[in-house]
Amino acid sequence: MSEADTESRARRDEIWIEKYRPETLDDIVGQETITERLKSYVARNDLPHLMFSGQAGIGKTTSAQAIARELYGEDWQEHFLELNASDQRGIDVVRDRIKNFARSSFGGSNYRIIFLDEADSLTSDAQSALRRTMEEFSNNVRFILSCNYSSQIIDPIQSRCAVFRFSPLSDDAVEEQVRIIAENEDIEVTDDGVDALVYAASGDMRKAINGLQAAAVTGEVVDEDAVYAITSTARPEEIKEMVTEALEGDFLAAKATLDELLTDEGIAGGDVIDQLHRSVWEFDLDDRAAVKLLDRIGEADYRITEGANERIQLEALLASLALDD
Ligand SMILES: Nc1ncnc2c1ncn2[C@@H]1O[C@H](COP(=O)(O)OP(=O)(O)OP(=O)(O)O)[C@@H](O)[C@H]1O
Ligand SMILES: [Mg+2]
């Protein structure tokens, strides 16, 4: 094995989502409106408390770290404390660490940053306590709260933060990043492989990059088949087939297709629902059928979230499509 080969092997052991995590706000893709505003805070060295909300893998943690890098340079980690609000040891541990970090700050005109991940996992009592902590230490620290759902954060905290809603990344943004990484890692990816990664990721850059790395492990060309197998995602055609069968009144065929997805391919029922939801408008349904399908998706999604059996809910959805006209 040549030296170059050994080196590229070694590189493949790294986790790509970390290796390719953008270091500056300028390098973050697809969130330009947000990063422009964040850059102006940095330029003025005047950071309010911030709240980042949005789905997983779209740049919230990355943006917080980039702000710290730009404000503090090389030794940014000394001025940046990353905590997870859902810390198993409890909110008291989180609060103690916040207090210790805030107290040890230098005061004066300068401040440090506390990045609190999964802030929406805090109970409203814990959030009230957090709000007092934010006030108590606002001379020394700025908080960046990160959450998936901003509606889970109490108003008094939201009103103390500049709120930024991160969007799911566009397919183009995901595709571009996937191609850059593949080229850099010397991975051969087919066009349908890229499309499949983008589809499976559904706006989540972490998922796309992890999918690429997992599919590339075999050393073979990364194509559609490799991607769908590794990401437990149904092919859009399979979803379409299942819905069409149900709408044509052939419940048994639809159920067989569903079984294939859930049992043979090991796809989670909740993911099938998500994929259904994303594809409704790509099925060529007439408006009435599309609306009915959406209505049933909403119902099944809610019930599954509330703990209902996924398979039963999906079968019931197909049954209701198959039943009437
Ligand atoms: N906008 C982006 N531009 C470039 N790369 C990105 C972007 N968003 C995410 N990534 C890639 O995905 C990885 C995970 O992103 P990040 O940690 O910022 O997600 P997050 O939004 O904080 O998600 P979570 O809600 O799960 O914490 C990054 O290390 C980076 O490789
Ligand atoms: Mg994060």
Side-chain angles (χ1 to χ4, degrees), residues 62-283:
T62 306
S63 297
Q65 294 181 353
I67 289 174
R69 254 200 196 87
E70 293 187 18
L71 280 173
Y72 309 116
E74 282 281 279
D75 54 353
W76 63 277
Q77 273 162 324
E78 287 168 30
H79 307 275
F80 185 86
L81 178 66
E82 188 168 339
L83 294 172
N84 195 306
S86 66
D87 193 312
Q88 287 161 357
R89 291 164 299 175
I91 182 59
D92 290 338
V93 173
V94 173
R95 216 151 49 215
D96 282 349
R97 291 192 62 193
I98 291 177
K99 285 190 173 161
N100 288 335
F101 184 76
R103 288 213 184 93
S104 67
S105 297
F106 17 82
S109 65
N110 237 326
Y111 51 82
R112 302 165 107 184
I113 295 175
I114 294 178
F115 178 70
L116 188 60
D117 214 349
E118 293 186 47
D120 45 358
S121 70
L122 294 176
T123 61
S124 43
D125 281 351
Q127 290 188 32
S128 301
L130 172 66
R131 174 199 141 180
R132 288 192 293 278
T133 314
M134 286 171 80
E135 273 166 1
E136 191 181 345
F137 296 107
S138 64
N139 285 336
N140 307 15
V141 287
R142 294 292 178 274
F143 281 85
I144 304 180
L145 308 180
S146 181
C147 62
N148 294 131
Y149 302 103
S150 64
S151 58
Q152 302 294 311
I153 305 289
I154 60 172
D155 283 344
I157 289 189
Q158 293 208 34
S159 71
R160 282 171 175 75
C161 296
V163 179
F164 290 87
R165 289 176 215 289
F166 285 63
S167 327
L169 293 165
S170 71
D171 288 354
D172 287 347
V174 176
E175 170 168 354
E176 193 184 333
Q177 197 76 351
V178 163
R179 288 195 187 275
I180 290 173
I181 293 175
E183 182 168 342
N184 212 38
E185 296 292 334
D186 235 340
I187 304 297
E188 194 180 332
V189 194
T190 60
D191 285 345
D192 64 19
V194 172
D195 288 348
L197 280 167
V198 169
Y199 174 77
S202 184
D204 176 343
M205 190 72 91
R206 181 194 286 122
K207 205 166 171 188
I209 299 173
N210 277 337
L212 176 67
Q213 182 162 23
V217 156
T218 59
E220 286 170 28
V221 176
V222 175
D223 58 12
E224 197 179 46
D225 291 336
V227 172
Y228 284 122
I230 212 88
T231 55
S232 338
T233 308
R235 292 161 183 275
E237 310 91 80
E238 293 172 302
I239 299 280
K240 181 170 183 175
E241 182 188 323
M242 180 178 77
V243 170
T244 314
E245 287 160 343
L247 285 168
E248 284 169 355
D250 192 348
F251 174 72
L252 290 181
K255 182 179 172 316
T257 310
L258 176 66
D259 282 345
E260 223 171 275
L261 297 180
L262 297 183
T263 310
D264 304 347
E265 298 180 29
I267 298 168
D271 290 341
V272 174
I273 293 277
D274 285 343
Q275 287 193 246
L276 266 170
H277 177 240
R278 289 165 58 197
S279 310
V280 170
W281 302 110
E282 286 157 27
F283 289 151

Side-chain angles (χ1 to χ4, degrees), residues 17 21-22 28-29 56-62 148 205-206 209:
I17 51 166
R21 189 194 284 279
I28 292 171
V29 305
I58 54 179
K60 302 184 298 298
T61 300
T62 306
N148 294 131
M205 190 72 91
R206 181 194 286 122
I209 299 173

Side-chain angles (χ1 to χ4, degrees), residues 14-83:
E14 278 179 76
I15 300 177
W16 292 352
I17 51 166
E18 288 308 330
K19 182 172 176 187
Y20 293 98
R21 189 194 284 279
E23 295 200 343
T24 66
L25 290 166
D26 269 331
D27 290 337
I28 292 171
V29 305
Q31 308 286 7
E32 284 75 17
T33 337
I34 291 176
T35 47
E36 282 308 312
R37 277 183 64 197
L38 296 178
K39 271 162 63 183
S40 73
Y41 294 139
V42 170
R44 283 182 277 140
N45 192 12
D46 180 17
L47 199 68
H49 295 307
L50 302 173
M51 193 171 110
F52 295 166
S53 76
Q55 68 169 53
I58 54 179
K60 302 184 298 298
T61 300
T62 306
S63 297
Q65 294 181 353
I67 289 174
R69 254 200 196 87
E70 293 187 18
L71 280 173
Y72 309 116
E74 282 281 279
D75 54 353
W76 63 277
Q77 273 162 324
E78 287 168 30
H79 307 275
F80 185 86
L81 178 66
E82 188 168 339
L83 294 172

